[in-house]
Short mmCIF file of all heavy atoms in Angstrom, two decimals:
data_model
loop_
_atom_site.label_atom_id
_atom_site.label_comp_id
_atom_site.label_asym_id
_atom_site.label_seq_id
_atom_site.Cartn_x
_atom_site.Cartn_y
_atom_site.Cartn_z
N GLY A 1 150.15 -102.86 38.87
CA GLY A 1 150.82 -101.90 39.72
C GLY A 1 149.80 -101.21 40.62
O GLY A 1 148.60 -101.25 40.37
N MET A 2 150.29 -100.60 41.69
CA MET A 2 149.42 -99.91 42.63
C MET A 2 150.06 -98.59 43.03
O MET A 2 151.28 -98.46 43.06
CB MET A 2 149.18 -100.75 43.87
CG MET A 2 148.45 -102.06 43.63
SD MET A 2 146.70 -101.80 43.22
CE MET A 2 146.09 -101.14 44.79
N GLY A 3 149.21 -97.63 43.35
CA GLY A 3 149.70 -96.33 43.76
C GLY A 3 148.99 -95.80 44.99
O GLY A 3 147.88 -96.23 45.32
N TRP A 4 149.66 -94.90 45.67
CA TRP A 4 149.09 -94.16 46.79
C TRP A 4 149.11 -92.67 46.45
O TRP A 4 150.13 -92.15 45.97
CB TRP A 4 149.85 -94.39 48.09
CG TRP A 4 149.58 -95.70 48.76
CD1 TRP A 4 150.33 -96.83 48.68
CD2 TRP A 4 148.49 -95.99 49.63
NE1 TRP A 4 149.78 -97.82 49.45
CE2 TRP A 4 148.65 -97.33 50.05
CE3 TRP A 4 147.40 -95.26 50.11
CZ2 TRP A 4 147.75 -97.96 50.91
CZ3 TRP A 4 146.51 -95.89 50.96
CH2 TRP A 4 146.69 -97.21 51.35
N PHE A 5 148.00 -92.00 46.72
CA PHE A 5 147.88 -90.57 46.55
C PHE A 5 147.32 -89.97 47.83
O PHE A 5 146.77 -90.68 48.68
CB PHE A 5 146.96 -90.23 45.37
CG PHE A 5 147.55 -90.58 44.03
CD1 PHE A 5 147.57 -91.89 43.58
CD2 PHE A 5 148.07 -89.58 43.22
CE1 PHE A 5 148.11 -92.21 42.34
CE2 PHE A 5 148.61 -89.88 41.98
CZ PHE A 5 148.63 -91.20 41.54
N ARG A 6 147.42 -88.66 47.95
CA ARG A 6 146.82 -87.98 49.08
C ARG A 6 146.25 -86.65 48.63
O ARG A 6 146.69 -86.06 47.65
CB ARG A 6 147.82 -87.79 50.22
CG ARG A 6 148.97 -86.85 49.91
CD ARG A 6 150.00 -86.88 51.03
NE ARG A 6 151.10 -85.96 50.80
CZ ARG A 6 152.18 -85.89 51.56
NH1 ARG A 6 152.31 -86.69 52.62
NH2 ARG A 6 153.14 -85.02 51.27
N GLN A 7 145.28 -86.18 49.39
CA GLN A 7 144.63 -84.93 49.06
C GLN A 7 144.28 -84.19 50.35
O GLN A 7 143.51 -84.70 51.17
CB GLN A 7 143.38 -85.15 48.22
CG GLN A 7 142.75 -83.88 47.69
CD GLN A 7 141.72 -84.16 46.62
OE1 GLN A 7 141.12 -85.23 46.59
NE2 GLN A 7 141.51 -83.20 45.74
N ALA A 8 144.84 -83.02 50.50
CA ALA A 8 144.51 -82.15 51.62
C ALA A 8 143.36 -81.23 51.22
O ALA A 8 143.15 -80.98 50.03
CB ALA A 8 145.73 -81.33 52.02
N PRO A 9 142.61 -80.72 52.19
CA PRO A 9 141.49 -79.84 51.86
C PRO A 9 141.91 -78.66 51.00
O PRO A 9 142.88 -77.97 51.31
CB PRO A 9 141.00 -79.37 53.23
CG PRO A 9 141.40 -80.48 54.16
CD PRO A 9 142.71 -80.96 53.64
N GLY A 10 141.18 -78.44 49.92
CA GLY A 10 141.45 -77.32 49.03
C GLY A 10 142.63 -77.51 48.10
O GLY A 10 142.96 -76.59 47.35
N LYS A 11 143.25 -78.67 48.13
CA LYS A 11 144.40 -78.93 47.28
C LYS A 11 144.12 -80.06 46.31
O LYS A 11 143.20 -80.86 46.50
CB LYS A 11 145.62 -79.26 48.13
CG LYS A 11 146.11 -78.12 49.00
CD LYS A 11 147.41 -78.47 49.68
CE LYS A 11 147.94 -77.30 50.48
NZ LYS A 11 149.23 -77.63 51.14
N GLU A 12 144.93 -80.13 45.28
CA GLU A 12 144.81 -81.19 44.30
C GLU A 12 145.35 -82.50 44.86
O GLU A 12 146.20 -82.51 45.75
CB GLU A 12 145.57 -80.83 43.02
CG GLU A 12 145.01 -79.64 42.27
CD GLU A 12 145.77 -79.36 40.99
OE1 GLU A 12 146.77 -80.05 40.74
OE2 GLU A 12 145.36 -78.46 40.25
N ARG A 13 144.84 -83.57 44.32
CA ARG A 13 145.34 -84.88 44.70
C ARG A 13 146.78 -85.03 44.20
O ARG A 13 147.08 -84.74 43.04
CB ARG A 13 144.45 -85.97 44.11
CG ARG A 13 144.72 -87.35 44.64
CD ARG A 13 143.58 -88.30 44.26
NE ARG A 13 142.32 -87.86 44.83
CZ ARG A 13 141.20 -88.58 44.76
NH1 ARG A 13 141.18 -89.76 44.17
NH2 ARG A 13 140.09 -88.09 45.30
N GLU A 14 147.66 -85.47 45.07
CA GLU A 14 149.06 -85.57 44.71
C GLU A 14 149.60 -86.98 44.89
O GLU A 14 149.17 -87.73 45.77
CB GLU A 14 149.91 -84.58 45.51
CG GLU A 14 149.97 -84.87 47.00
CD GLU A 14 150.98 -83.99 47.72
OE1 GLU A 14 151.86 -83.40 47.06
OE2 GLU A 14 150.88 -83.90 48.97
N PHE A 15 150.56 -87.29 44.07
CA PHE A 15 151.21 -88.59 44.11
C PHE A 15 152.03 -88.75 45.37
O PHE A 15 152.72 -87.82 45.80
CB PHE A 15 152.10 -88.74 42.88
CG PHE A 15 152.99 -89.94 42.90
CD1 PHE A 15 152.49 -91.19 42.58
CD2 PHE A 15 154.32 -89.82 43.24
CE1 PHE A 15 153.31 -92.30 42.58
CE2 PHE A 15 155.15 -90.92 43.26
CZ PHE A 15 154.64 -92.17 42.93
N VAL A 16 151.97 -89.93 45.95
CA VAL A 16 152.78 -90.26 47.13
C VAL A 16 153.77 -91.37 46.82
O VAL A 16 154.98 -91.22 47.04
CB VAL A 16 151.90 -90.66 48.32
CG1 VAL A 16 152.76 -91.09 49.50
CG2 VAL A 16 150.99 -89.52 48.72
N SER A 17 153.26 -92.48 46.31
CA SER A 17 154.12 -93.63 46.08
C SER A 17 153.45 -94.59 45.11
O SER A 17 152.24 -94.55 44.92
CB SER A 17 154.41 -94.34 47.41
OG SER A 17 155.32 -95.40 47.24
N ALA A 18 154.25 -95.46 44.52
CA ALA A 18 153.72 -96.49 43.63
C ALA A 18 154.63 -97.70 43.66
O ALA A 18 155.82 -97.60 44.00
CB ALA A 18 153.59 -95.97 42.20
N ILE A 19 154.07 -98.84 43.30
CA ILE A 19 154.82 -100.08 43.25
C ILE A 19 154.42 -100.82 41.99
O ILE A 19 153.25 -100.85 41.60
CB ILE A 19 154.58 -100.93 44.52
CG1 ILE A 19 155.51 -102.14 44.56
CG2 ILE A 19 153.11 -101.33 44.64
CD1 ILE A 19 155.54 -102.82 45.93
N SER A 20 155.40 -101.42 41.34
CA SER A 20 155.14 -102.13 40.10
C SER A 20 154.38 -103.42 40.36
O SER A 20 154.28 -103.90 41.50
CB SER A 20 156.46 -102.44 39.39
OG SER A 20 157.25 -103.33 40.15
N ARG A 21 153.85 -103.99 39.30
CA ARG A 21 153.06 -105.21 39.47
C ARG A 21 153.88 -106.38 39.99
O ARG A 21 153.33 -107.26 40.67
CB ARG A 21 152.37 -105.58 38.15
CG ARG A 21 153.29 -105.89 36.98
CD ARG A 21 152.46 -106.05 35.72
NE ARG A 21 153.27 -106.32 34.55
CZ ARG A 21 153.53 -107.53 34.09
NH1 ARG A 21 153.04 -108.60 34.70
NH2 ARG A 21 154.29 -107.68 33.00
N SER A 22 155.15 -106.38 39.71
CA SER A 22 156.03 -107.43 40.22
C SER A 22 156.49 -107.16 41.65
O SER A 22 157.00 -108.06 42.32
CB SER A 22 157.25 -107.58 39.32
OG SER A 22 158.11 -106.47 39.44
N GLY A 23 156.34 -105.93 42.08
CA GLY A 23 156.85 -105.53 43.38
C GLY A 23 158.32 -105.17 43.36
O GLY A 23 158.87 -104.76 44.39
N GLY A 24 158.94 -105.28 42.21
CA GLY A 24 160.37 -105.06 42.11
C GLY A 24 160.80 -103.61 42.01
O GLY A 24 161.97 -103.30 42.21
N SER A 25 159.86 -102.74 41.69
CA SER A 25 160.18 -101.32 41.54
C SER A 25 159.23 -100.50 42.39
O SER A 25 158.02 -100.75 42.40
CB SER A 25 160.06 -100.89 40.08
OG SER A 25 160.98 -101.60 39.27
N THR A 26 159.78 -99.53 43.09
CA THR A 26 158.98 -98.63 43.90
C THR A 26 159.34 -97.19 43.57
O THR A 26 160.46 -96.89 43.15
CB THR A 26 159.17 -98.88 45.40
OG1 THR A 26 160.56 -98.75 45.73
CG2 THR A 26 158.71 -100.28 45.77
N TYR A 27 158.39 -96.29 43.80
CA TYR A 27 158.56 -94.89 43.46
C TYR A 27 157.97 -94.04 44.57
O TYR A 27 156.97 -94.41 45.19
CB TYR A 27 157.86 -94.58 42.13
CG TYR A 27 158.18 -95.57 41.05
CD1 TYR A 27 157.39 -96.70 40.86
CD2 TYR A 27 159.28 -95.39 40.21
CE1 TYR A 27 157.69 -97.63 39.87
CE2 TYR A 27 159.58 -96.31 39.22
CZ TYR A 27 158.78 -97.43 39.05
OH TYR A 27 159.08 -98.34 38.08
N TYR A 28 158.61 -92.90 44.82
CA TYR A 28 158.18 -92.03 45.90
C TYR A 28 158.25 -90.57 45.50
O TYR A 28 159.15 -90.15 44.77
CB TYR A 28 159.05 -92.23 47.14
CG TYR A 28 159.00 -93.63 47.70
CD1 TYR A 28 159.94 -94.58 47.32
CD2 TYR A 28 158.00 -94.00 48.59
CE1 TYR A 28 159.89 -95.86 47.83
CE2 TYR A 28 157.94 -95.28 49.10
CZ TYR A 28 158.90 -96.21 48.71
OH TYR A 28 158.85 -97.49 49.21
N ALA A 29 157.30 -89.81 46.00
CA ALA A 29 157.41 -88.37 45.89
C ALA A 29 158.59 -87.89 46.73
O ALA A 29 158.92 -88.48 47.76
CB ALA A 29 156.12 -87.70 46.37
N ASP A 30 159.22 -86.82 46.29
CA ASP A 30 160.38 -86.30 47.02
C ASP A 30 160.04 -85.97 48.47
O ASP A 30 160.87 -86.12 49.36
CB ASP A 30 160.92 -85.05 46.32
CG ASP A 30 161.60 -85.36 45.01
OD1 ASP A 30 161.97 -86.53 44.78
OD2 ASP A 30 161.77 -84.43 44.21
N SER A 31 158.82 -85.54 48.70
CA SER A 31 158.42 -85.12 50.03
C SER A 31 158.35 -86.26 51.04
O SER A 31 158.34 -86.00 52.25
CB SER A 31 157.07 -84.41 49.97
OG SER A 31 156.07 -85.26 49.44
N VAL A 32 158.30 -87.50 50.57
CA VAL A 32 158.16 -88.63 51.49
C VAL A 32 159.32 -89.60 51.42
O VAL A 32 159.35 -90.57 52.19
CB VAL A 32 156.83 -89.38 51.26
CG1 VAL A 32 155.65 -88.42 51.33
CG2 VAL A 32 156.84 -90.12 49.93
N LYS A 33 160.27 -89.37 50.54
CA LYS A 33 161.40 -90.28 50.42
C LYS A 33 162.15 -90.40 51.74
O LYS A 33 162.41 -89.41 52.41
CB LYS A 33 162.36 -89.79 49.33
CG LYS A 33 161.89 -90.04 47.92
CD LYS A 33 162.92 -89.57 46.91
CE LYS A 33 162.46 -89.85 45.49
NZ LYS A 33 163.42 -89.34 44.49
N GLY A 34 162.47 -91.62 52.07
CA GLY A 34 163.17 -91.88 53.32
C GLY A 34 162.28 -92.01 54.52
O GLY A 34 162.74 -92.41 55.59
N ARG A 35 161.01 -91.68 54.37
CA ARG A 35 160.06 -91.76 55.47
C ARG A 35 158.95 -92.77 55.24
O ARG A 35 158.48 -93.40 56.18
CB ARG A 35 159.44 -90.39 55.74
CG ARG A 35 160.44 -89.31 56.09
CD ARG A 35 159.76 -88.03 56.56
NE ARG A 35 158.93 -87.44 55.51
CZ ARG A 35 157.61 -87.26 55.61
NH1 ARG A 35 156.97 -87.61 56.72
NH2 ARG A 35 156.94 -86.70 54.62
N PHE A 36 158.52 -92.91 54.00
CA PHE A 36 157.44 -93.83 53.66
C PHE A 36 157.99 -95.02 52.90
O PHE A 36 158.95 -94.90 52.13
CB PHE A 36 156.39 -93.14 52.78
CG PHE A 36 155.59 -92.07 53.46
CD1 PHE A 36 155.90 -91.61 54.72
CD2 PHE A 36 154.50 -91.51 52.80
CE1 PHE A 36 155.15 -90.61 55.34
CE2 PHE A 36 153.74 -90.52 53.39
CZ PHE A 36 154.07 -90.07 54.66
N THR A 37 157.35 -96.17 53.08
CA THR A 37 157.72 -97.37 52.36
C THR A 37 156.47 -98.07 51.84
O THR A 37 155.56 -98.36 52.61
CB THR A 37 158.51 -98.35 53.26
OG1 THR A 37 159.67 -97.71 53.77
CG2 THR A 37 158.93 -99.57 52.46
N ILE A 38 156.45 -98.33 50.55
CA ILE A 38 155.34 -99.05 49.96
C ILE A 38 155.73 -100.52 49.80
O ILE A 38 156.88 -100.83 49.50
CB ILE A 38 154.93 -98.43 48.60
CG1 ILE A 38 153.61 -99.03 48.10
CG2 ILE A 38 156.03 -98.59 47.56
CD1 ILE A 38 153.04 -98.30 46.89
N SER A 39 154.78 -101.40 50.02
CA SER A 39 155.03 -102.82 49.87
C SER A 39 153.73 -103.52 49.52
O SER A 39 152.65 -102.92 49.60
CB SER A 39 155.64 -103.41 51.15
OG SER A 39 154.75 -103.29 52.24
N ARG A 40 153.84 -104.77 49.15
CA ARG A 40 152.64 -105.53 48.85
C ARG A 40 152.81 -106.98 49.27
O ARG A 40 153.92 -107.52 49.27
CB ARG A 40 152.28 -105.43 47.37
CG ARG A 40 153.30 -106.01 46.40
CD ARG A 40 153.03 -105.55 44.96
NE ARG A 40 151.65 -105.79 44.56
CZ ARG A 40 151.07 -105.27 43.48
NH1 ARG A 40 151.76 -104.47 42.67
NH2 ARG A 40 149.81 -105.55 43.20
N VAL A 41 151.70 -107.58 49.64
CA VAL A 41 151.66 -109.00 49.99
C VAL A 41 150.62 -109.63 49.08
O VAL A 41 149.41 -109.45 49.27
CB VAL A 41 151.32 -109.22 51.47
CG1 VAL A 41 151.22 -110.71 51.76
CG2 VAL A 41 152.37 -108.58 52.36
N TYR A 42 151.08 -110.37 48.11
CA TYR A 42 150.18 -110.90 47.10
C TYR A 42 149.18 -111.89 47.68
O TYR A 42 148.03 -111.93 47.24
CB TYR A 42 151.00 -111.57 45.99
CG TYR A 42 151.80 -110.59 45.17
CD1 TYR A 42 153.17 -110.47 45.35
CD2 TYR A 42 151.19 -109.78 44.22
CE1 TYR A 42 153.91 -109.57 44.61
CE2 TYR A 42 151.92 -108.88 43.47
CZ TYR A 42 153.28 -108.78 43.67
OH TYR A 42 154.01 -107.88 42.93
N ALA A 43 149.60 -112.67 48.65
CA ALA A 43 148.70 -113.66 49.24
C ALA A 43 147.52 -113.00 49.94
O ALA A 43 146.46 -113.62 50.07
CB ALA A 43 149.46 -114.54 50.23
N LYS A 44 147.68 -111.78 50.38
CA LYS A 44 146.61 -111.04 51.04
C LYS A 44 145.90 -110.08 50.11
O LYS A 44 144.94 -109.42 50.52
CB LYS A 44 147.17 -110.28 52.24
CG LYS A 44 147.67 -111.15 53.37
CD LYS A 44 148.13 -110.30 54.55
CE LYS A 44 148.55 -111.18 55.71
NZ LYS A 44 147.39 -111.89 56.30
#
């Protein structure tokens, strides 16, 4: 599986999104739902 996090100056690192190892399940922080999309290309 893979995840994306972000960190603004002076703030803690926060979860953004994640994708399962199969690519079949994705997860998003409420703050980015509907705006961000996580994906993966295994060949690359």
